[in-house]
Amino acid sequence: MLNEDTRRLLARCRKGDAEAQEELLRAVQPRIYYYCLKTLKDARRAAETERKIFCELLSGLGALKNDDDFPLWAVSTAARLCRAASKAESAPFMEGPAQVLPDSVLDSNENRRLAAELTASLPDVQRECVLMYYYLEMSVSEIASALHITESAVKT
């Protein structure tokens, strides 16, 4: 459930309030960028895709029927656009900025290195599941909804 401040922010964004739109994008930017970076493995492509995601999020807010769906819709949009961008071109793995990683997941340089290496070697859908679960801290059911796959596929 979204809090009332976020609901008001979304309402202001729908009315075209540029300040509210900037605030919303600042709130989701670190997680969306990190997801793009881990998925696309290239900082330039991650930034380009992040801009496309933000444009789609802002332009599609009017069609979003339930504000509670915003977080899942944002991640689903990111996953879809990152998947499309990754099919366009592939690049070597690049480790993301440590400041957006949850400390509980990556508490040392060695763990960070191992996680980066293992994540890079996964097929696309599996990598997306791992990124969403560990880095975006989404539940299995949220991941399944975002990627339009079954919960058992996420668990696998």
Side-chain angles (χ1 to χ4, degrees):
M1 294 278 304
L2 294 180
N3 62 37
E4 278 308 307
D5 289 340
T6 304
R7 290 180 193 287
R8 283 191 291 274
L9 182 63
L10 290 173
R12 289 175 45 214
C13 288
R14 284 186 183 100
K15 292 178 182 176
D17 182 334
E19 187 177 302
Q21 291 173 348
E22 286 181 33
E23 187 177 336
L24 180 65
L25 296 182
R26 274 194 309 272
V28 299
Q29 190 275 336
R31 295 180 85 175
I32 295 291
Y33 175 74
Y34 187 70
Y35 179 81
C36 291
L37 185 63
K38 285 296 193 176
T39 302
L40 299 172
K41 306 169 197 129
D42 178 84
R44 179 190 54 79
R45 288 177 46 223
E48 289 171 1
T49 304
E50 176 191 46
R51 282 189 288 279
K52 290 177 186 174
I53 293 165
F54 290 158
C55 288
E56 191 164 317
L57 291 179
L58 291 176
S59 66
L61 268 180
L64 187 65
K65 293 180 182 9
N66 184 349
D67 285 349
D68 289 329
D69 293 338
F70 177 77
L72 186 58
W73 175 61
V75 172
S76 182
T77 300
R80 180 174 44 79
L81 292 177
C82 284
R83 203 174 304 122
S86 71
K87 291 189 185 331
E89 180 183 336
S90 62
F93 183 79
M94 178 177 181
E95 186 171 337
Q99 67 271 18
V100 297
L101 297 175
D103 290 338
S104 61
V105 175
L106 300 176
D107 56 359
S108 72
N109 287 337
E110 180 61 14
N111 284 346
R112 189 175 295 113
R113 185 193 64 74
L114 287 171
E117 185 178 305
L118 292 171
T119 304
S121 67
L122 293 173
D124 290 345
V125 173
Q126 290 177 347
R127 183 173 52 248
E128 288 173 344
C129 290
V130 168
L131 292 173
M132 288 179 180
Y133 186 80
Y134 288 102
Y135 299 110
L136 300 181
E137 299 175 345
M138 294 172 65
S139 70
V140 170
S141 61
E142 289 172 328
I143 296 167
S145 293
L147 296 178
H148 306 291
I149 59 177
T150 64
E151 288 186 24
S152 62
V154 172
K155 291 176 184 176
T156 300

